[in-house]
Amino acid sequence: MYRPVTPAVLSRLREIADPGRVVTDPDGLLDYTRDESPGPPFPPEALVKVRSSAEVSRIFELCRHERIALTPRGLGTGLAGGSVAVAGGIMVSTELMNRVIEVDERNLVVRTEPGVTVDHLQKACAEHGLYYPVDPASLEDCSIGGNIATNAGGARAFKYGVTADYVRGIEAVVPDGSVVRWGGKLHKNATGYGLGRILVGSEGTLAVTTEAVMRLVPKPKHQIDVLVPFDRLGQGVELVLRLVHDDRLLPAVVEFIERQGICACNKVLGSDLPFADAEIQVLVELEGNNREQVVEDCVRLGEIAMKLGAREPLVADNPTDQERLWTARRKLADTLKKLYPEVTAEDIVVPLAEVPATVEEVMRLQAKYGLTVIPFGHVGDGNIHVDVCRDSDRQDWHEVCDRLFDELIGYVLSRGGQISAEHGIGSEKKRWMKRALGPAELELMRCLKHAFDPDGILNPGKILPEK
Ligand SMILES: Cc1cc2nc3c(=O)[nH]c(=O)nc-3n(C[C@H](O)[C@H](O)[C@H](O)COP(=O)(O)OP(=O)(O)OC[C@H]3O[C@@H](n4cnc5c(N)ncnc54)[C@H](O)[C@@H]3O)c2cc1C
């Protein structure tokens, strides 16, 4: 379907970008052959580290003319194979577009290039006393452009929402080479179709984002973290509901880790993390501008937790203690990769009230299929990460893993859930799309893809299953 990148195409690319930013040697391409998902490597034929929307536009024109596939790439931390060049062709990396253009205090927005890491963006905003609260665990390594493309979430989504809630303006290049702009420094905008919003979560299949304007909020002055050990996850969910309903409290964070996850962290990090013998740990963060009020809320949280059957919680109100409480949650995904030769990570989402039964189902499937399965994630927003780890002697691991996920996905869909909360579909989860969505929805998505990319050159092989 796609033509190869010929020497003539390479010389055109070297005219568009400096020759030093066009990579073709296998060593230079090695880090771009996969993302953080377990799928097989696919080397692009050429990689261009772009610096501007004008360059992206000219590369699109070339790709259309020559019928070459183009794969957009942020920083490659994706967990769904979205930025992998499954059809070869040209990869466009935004890693050099890494400038925070402007923190606009008076309009409460930040204007940024797409290749900026989320950590860098947060720090740049903090220097102006403002807060970009979307907080993926990969924040030091992933780009804001990647976050927009996947509609990334993270630990603070329960209170602050996900990336989509912060996008105010987008500049992007569409496959015919036009540069399109939507929104700006506007906190409200009902002018026609929300073109920018359509790009959020489109996983680089509709356009390449070259600039974004993101909303900022004030950061509360005081935060207190509380780690609550429970025997059952149901108690953790009940805790959230009681805090919200009875006490009108909205924690910024409600995360959980199951016992095996803590043990894995202790083993790999050589640490002695608290409550390693509890079935479930729930990490709650409360915040506010009035310190006495936050302390009072924490006391109330402790009382409710104890009534629900928790053991004495641990409280952290300074950065050192808070870091200790967060260690396991932040390091878990990397830890599992160090401990096991292969890990397949899914990020299912169910209505909040279904979380306990879904985790029980995960544990039932672990026993049924005899695999090591570690659930953790965002209790507050119903997003459960299910990591299946390969024990080295297991020859039939891939096949059994597939059967486990097929059964789990069936369960999740039957409970009103979905197959991805924040990682996206990419090439890795496409096989479940016909179960997750109906034919009418899929057809509408195909029409949308065709409207943006009639030649099908942009990020082929992602999201949409074959008919
Ligand atoms: C340890 C770890 C923890 C993680 N924790 C979280 C978490 O808490 N929450 C969460 O949501 N995710 C998490 N992720 C997943 C990942 O970090 C996110 O999906 C992130 O948004 C990917 O950003 P990236 O820059 O690495 O993008 P890439 O992996 O390079 O690309 C991801 C997708 O975005 C597209 N894309 C990238 N840049 C652009 C652009 N400028 N224009 C158009 N399309 C583009 C790509 O084509 C691809 O489809 C985690 C990953 C790891 C490895």
Side-chain angles (χ1 to χ4, degrees), residues 18 21 49-53 55-56 93 96-98 113:
D18 315 325
R21 290 191 278 120
K49 299 181 183 180
V50 290
R51 282 209 188 273
S52 67
S53 54
E55 287 181 0
V56 178
S93 163
L96 300 181
M97 296 183 75
N98 56 6
E113 291 188 329

Side-chain angles (χ1 to χ4, degrees), residues 126-202:
E127 281 173 20
H128 295 257
L130 289 165
Y131 188 32
Y132 178 69
V134 181
D135 191 31
S138 51
L139 83 168
E140 289 173 7
D141 304 310
C142 66
S143 70
I144 188 69
N147 275 207
I148 292 169
T150 55
N151 193 12
R156 294 191 158 76
F158 183 57
K159 176 172 178 181
Y160 290 102
V162 294
T163 307
D165 301 308
Y166 293 85
V167 178
R168 290 293 179 261
I170 281 199
E171 176 195 87
V173 188
V174 291
D176 74 358
S178 316
V179 180
V180 295
R181 294 183 180 84
W182 171 85
K185 295 179 176 180
L186 309 173
H187 291 290
K188 276 180 162 182
N189 180 6
T191 318
Y193 295 127
L195 287 179
R197 277 189 218 111
I198 290 169
L199 298 188
V200 180
S202 67

Side-chain angles (χ1 to χ4, degrees), residues 207-218:
V208 175
T209 299
T210 46
E211 195 179 305
V213 179
M214 311 299 289
R215 172 190 175 212
L216 301 175
V217 293

Side-chain angles (χ1 to χ4, degrees), residues 65-138:
H65 188 260
E66 299 290 335
R67 205 168 163 70
I68 292 171
L70 185 156
T71 305
R73 174 104 171 175
L75 293 174
T77 66
L79 291 166
S83 63
V84 179
V86 295
I90 297 170
M91 177 172 280
V92 164
S93 163
T94 59
E95 69 198 90
L96 300 181
M97 296 183 75
N98 56 6
R99 219 165 35 100
V100 174
I101 302 167
E102 175 193 16
V103 180
D104 184 340
E105 294 172 29
R106 293 185 65 76
N107 287 308
L108 297 175
V109 290
V110 56
R111 246 179 84 210
T112 179
E113 291 188 329
V116 171
T117 65
V118 175
D119 181 52
H120 181 60
L121 188 76
Q122 284 185 349
K123 286 179 177 148
C125 299
E127 281 173 20
H128 295 257
L130 289 165
Y131 188 32
Y132 178 69
V134 181
D135 191 31
S138 51

Side-chain angles (χ1 to χ4, degrees), residues 332-406:
L332 185 57
D334 278 344
T335 294
L336 296 180
K337 282 193 178 163
K338 284 186 188 137
L339 199 56
Y340 296 94
E342 233 173 308
V343 179
T344 295
E346 296 303 337
D347 79 316
I348 54 174
V349 57
V350 290
L352 181 54
E354 296 289 341
V355 170
T358 307
V359 174
E360 269 170 34
E361 178 66 7
V362 170
M363 301 326 278
R364 186 188 74 78
L365 294 173
Q366 156 161 273
K368 174 174 172 182
Y369 290 101
L371 298 177
T372 302
V373 185
I374 301 190
F376 60 99
H378 318 295
V379 189
D381 35 65
N383 178 193
I384 306 164
H385 295 305
V386 181
D387 280 19
V388 181
C389 309
R390 177 178 188 159
D391 298 298
S392 42
D393 54 347
R394 197 70 202 248
Q395 295 307 314
D396 59 349
W397 185 76
H398 289 107
E399 181 206 319
V400 181
C401 209
D402 278 354
R403 284 199 303 198
L404 181 148
F405 278 125
D406 274 341

